[in-house]
Amino acid sequence: MISTLMARKLSTLGLDWSPASGDAFCIDREEFDSEVFTVSDMTVEAHVFDTGTILGFNGTTEWALDSVALEDALWLPRENQLRELLGKTFHALVRVDDGFRVETVGEPERQPFTAKSAEDAYAKALEWLLQRALA
């Protein structure tokens, strides 16, 4: 799973999230640091209103948590979602001694991004692309 640090960097760079069933997220507050939730039609549903998107928690009797605003949630994209976000720039995922390397192609040339997990390697590549888009 992508680290919350990398997820926060991507969010800060403007990565948008439209919650869908199967998406993982955490509540971006200190008291929920280690809790990961999954959007599901059964337990956590995304309710879209004119005022914004609310993630509703259905049947959570052990907590007094009914819903959380999308702005308070931090999306933890899966490996396939990160690869899809890289689009045509994705070239390869390679296993290396200390983790994984993602290679992208494009301007200026092939770029390598290494991390302990494949998800974080993808996230580093996406971070680089988002930073270039903002420049």
Side-chain angles (χ1 to χ4, degrees):
M1 179 176 290
I2 185 176
S3 67
T4 54
L5 175 65
M6 286 305 304
R8 195 169 287 112
K9 285 181 179 181
L10 295 177
S11 177
T12 300
L13 289 169
L15 182 63
D16 287 330
W17 177 38
S18 297
S21 188
D23 285 354
F25 69 96
C26 62
I27 298 173
D28 207 10
R29 293 188 205 152
E30 221 173 274
E31 62 268 26
F32 291 100
D33 261 356
S34 62
E35 298 292 333
V36 175
F37 301 93
T38 302
V39 176
S40 167
D41 296 336
M42 297 286 293
T43 56
V44 181
E45 287 183 276
H47 303 283
V48 181
F49 300 102
D50 291 340
T51 56
T53 301
I54 300 293
L55 299 171
F57 291 76
N58 303 323
T60 54
T61 57
E62 64 276 3
W63 290 359
L65 180 63
D66 293 326
S67 63
V68 63
L70 190 62
E71 299 80 34
D72 293 327
L74 180 63
W75 180 31
L76 304 171
R78 297 182 307 270
E79 182 179 342
N80 66 308
Q81 291 172 314
L82 292 163
R83 186 173 46 250
E84 187 176 310
L85 288 164
L86 286 174
K88 293 179 180 180
T89 64
F90 172 70
H91 176 71
L93 172 66
V94 179
R95 177 96 173 141
V96 294
D97 289 338
D98 58 344
F100 294 87
R101 182 178 68 238
V102 166
E103 297 175 359
T104 60
V105 294
E107 296 298 322
E109 55 196 36
R110 189 174 295 177
Q111 297 288 323
F113 302 91
T114 305
K116 292 207 179 288
S117 73
E119 290 88 350
D120 279 350
Y122 279 113
K124 285 182 176 184
L126 185 57
E127 176 187 21
W128 181 78
L129 286 174
L130 291 170
Q131 286 174 335
R132 291 196 58 189
L134 292 173

